[in-house]
Amino acid sequence: MVLGTDSRILTLAFARMADALGNSFLIIVLPLYIASGQVTLAGIAGTELFGFVLRQETLIGLVLSLFGLLNSFGQPLTGRLSDRTGRRRAFVLTGLVLFAIGSAAYPFLTSYWSVLAARAFQGVGAAFTIPATIALVNDYAESDSERGGNFGVFNTFRLIGFGFGPIVAGVVITGGLGAEGVVSYVLGGVTFSGFTAAFAVAVLGAVVSFALVALLIEDPPVAEDAASKDLSIAVLDPDGNGLDSVFVLGVGTFMMATTIALFATLEGPIRMRLDESTFMFSVQFAAVVIANVLLQVPIGRASDRFGRRPFVVAGFVVLVPAVYVQGVVTDPWLMLGARFVQGIAVALVFAPSLALAGDLAGARGSGTTLSVLTMAFGLGVAVGPLASGVLFNLGSFSTPFTVGAAMALFALGLTYWQVEETLAVGEESPRPSPQD
């Protein structure tokens, strides 16, 4: 145990942090790379499709969304396979290799369709990595009473990489804090752009993550035991009490993730509206994750003590206004504050939701059960940028955020009425779940 946490959890957390750093780089870098003119949009931007004019924001949203779509729809399959085979480590390593290859390809791609293909390749890689990693964290929990804390620690490190990646990406591309324009670097007599340097950092993140998992992680016996169990995903509660709690949490997680991802596609309009720099936009984007870094561990451990459901419900209560105000503020610092409050809401929802799903995994298999939430999160991250671009085109600047707030309100109602508590609050161990 290190800092009260299983060393294997910390290893997975550090590995996921390095991988998330590389991925979050691309969320900031790819829109700038496509908009820079180095990727040709000739014959695509400005064309009409089914009566809808394809603008640059929509094309950028498609690139960002495709990763999440393939990642999300692939996760139920890879989660099941990792349960059946018990070889979670191999799935994680395979995904990291695919992600690194995609990142290494970007500097050599100049057409929009080739960039789209590389991002799709990375989405497939993430589908291998994410559910297997989350399942390992769940498998390593010795009891339900420490599951929330484990997920809190894991998510904290993952979010450090994801949250600070955009800030570092801005520095790498421009050459300094608050600088503008794309800088050039010289190494060994070879000159390369800030874009190439950023793609190299993404590759490095995958390589570091691969090394940590390959050297320090082994498949636990519980993964092999789970391979022969029922791997179905329930929509209805098995006792006939409405919808299944894990399914409902998946719906809520999808809507929460969608509201997070609305922001990325609108970098240009947001910077123009708020009259801010690329660096300030990066800080605003990262504010959601910074709040999570600060709060994931204490909230996760508190959910082990006080129950999962109250935190999830409170998170959606906070999420509704935090998303809505992003569509109406006109000051950079107010936008930063709104994004930070949104991060508090996400922290209240995410670790307790994963812990609750882990409590119910039982005979379902942890890879299969937890893939419902990881798939939902990835799908939300995928749909968010594309929906943001479309809604911006169809409405006004505030339209994406108004729709996002309505989604959060729907998730609040659904969670309040359909999610049941899994822990007997005040006792050392949870009450048995009907699925066990």
Side-chain angles (χ1 to χ4, degrees):
M1 301 288 285
V2 180
L3 300 177
T5 303
D6 190 321
S7 60
R8 297 170 299 180
I9 302 294
L10 288 175
T11 299
L12 289 170
F14 276 115
R16 193 72 181 95
M17 178 179 71
D19 178 45
L21 176 73
N23 186 37
S24 66
F25 253 62
L26 299 180
I27 292 175
I28 294 295
V29 174
L30 286 177
L32 295 175
Y33 190 57
I34 293 171
S36 69
Q38 297 190 52
V39 176
T40 177
L41 301 178
I44 306 173
T47 60
E48 186 173 315
L49 181 65
F50 303 117
F52 182 77
V53 177
L54 295 175
R55 293 169 58 181
Q56 180 175 282
E57 289 81 7
T58 305
L59 294 173
I60 290 173
L62 180 59
V63 168
L64 297 179
S65 295
L66 185 61
F67 171 88
L69 289 171
L70 293 175
N71 165 21
S72 300
F73 288 120
Q75 284 189 41
L77 174 61
T78 57
R80 283 189 177 93
L81 289 175
S82 74
D83 281 337
R84 292 186 186 277
T85 63
R87 301 183 61 191
R88 308 210 194 279
R89 178 173 171 271
F91 280 78
V92 176
L93 296 176
T94 299
L96 291 171
V97 169
L98 295 177
F99 185 86
I101 292 173
S103 295
Y106 285 121
F108 307 100
L109 306 178
T110 57
S111 75
Y112 175 78
W113 298 116
S114 62
V115 170
L116 195 67
R119 195 58 173 156
F121 195 72
Q122 291 184 306
V124 174
F128 276 87
T129 299
I130 294 173
T133 306
I134 291 289
L136 281 170
V137 174
N138 190 64
D139 292 341
Y140 288 147
E142 295 181 0
S143 68
D144 289 349
S145 62
E146 66 180 38
R147 183 170 283 116
N150 281 353
F151 278 120
V153 170
F154 176 80
N155 283 332
T156 294
F157 282 94
R158 176 182 68 85
L159 291 166
I160 287 174
F162 189 78
F164 288 95
I167 298 176
V168 180
V171 173
V172 170
I173 292 173
T174 63
L177 294 174
E180 295 293 331
V182 180
V183 71
S184 294
Y185 295 92
V186 179
L187 181 64
V190 178
T191 301
F192 53 93
S193 72
F195 287 126
T196 301
F199 294 136
V201 172
V203 174
L204 179 62
V207 170
V208 170
S209 190
F210 184 96
L212 287 171
V213 174
L215 295 174
L216 301 174
I217 295 297
E218 297 292 339
D219 289 312
V222 68
E224 298 177 3
D225 294 340
S228 62
K229 297 180 179 180
D230 179 21
L231 302 178
S232 62
I233 297 176
V235 174
L236 300 177
D237 183 81
D239 294 333
N241 299 320
L243 298 174
D244 180 73
S245 291
V246 175
F247 175 76
V248 172
L249 289 173
V251 173
T253 299
F254 163 74
M255 294 184 174
M256 176 189 72
T258 300
T259 67
I260 298 173
L262 294 172
F263 200 74
T265 304
L266 302 179
E267 177 174 355
I270 289 172
R271 289 180 55 201
M272 182 179 298
R273 176 182 174 88
L274 304 182
D275 190 23
E276 64 183 19
S277 66
T278 299
F279 175 74
M280 186 61 175
F281 176 85
S282 298
V283 175
Q284 291 166 349
F285 180 87
V288 170
V289 186
I290 293 171
N292 274 268
V293 168
L294 297 175
L295 296 172
Q296 280 281 327
V297 172
I299 288 175
R301 288 178 174 163
S303 76
D304 288 334
R305 181 177 180 184
F306 300 109
R308 324 293 194 195
R309 183 177 177 275
F311 291 93
V312 179
V313 172
F316 285 119
V317 169
V318 176
L319 185 63
V320 175
V323 174
Y324 176 76
V325 299
Q326 291 175 44
V328 298
V329 298
T330 56
D331 179 82
W333 293 101
L334 291 177
M335 180 67 82
L336 180 62
R339 293 284 293 175
F340 189 84
V341 173
Q342 184 178 8
I344 295 173
V346 174
L348 287 165
V349 171
F350 204 43
S353 292
L354 285 169
L356 193 152
D359 294 340
L360 294 173
R364 305 179 184 189
S366 57
T368 301
T369 304
L370 293 169
S371 72
V372 174
L373 268 64
T374 56
M375 175 190 70
F377 190 88
L379 187 60
V381 170
V383 170
L386 186 57
S388 182
V390 171
L391 291 169
F392 176 78
N393 282 353
L394 296 177
S396 63
F397 177 84
S398 64
T399 303
F401 300 104
T402 301
V403 172
M407 293 176 67
L409 184 61
F410 177 80
L412 169 61
L414 194 63
T415 302
Y416 182 82
W417 290 109
Q418 295 293 317
V419 172
E420 297 183 1
E421 182 58 66
T422 54
L423 294 184
V425 179
E427 298 179 11
E428 287 296 321
S429 60
R431 57 180 173 84
S433 68
Q435 288 78 17
D436 290 343

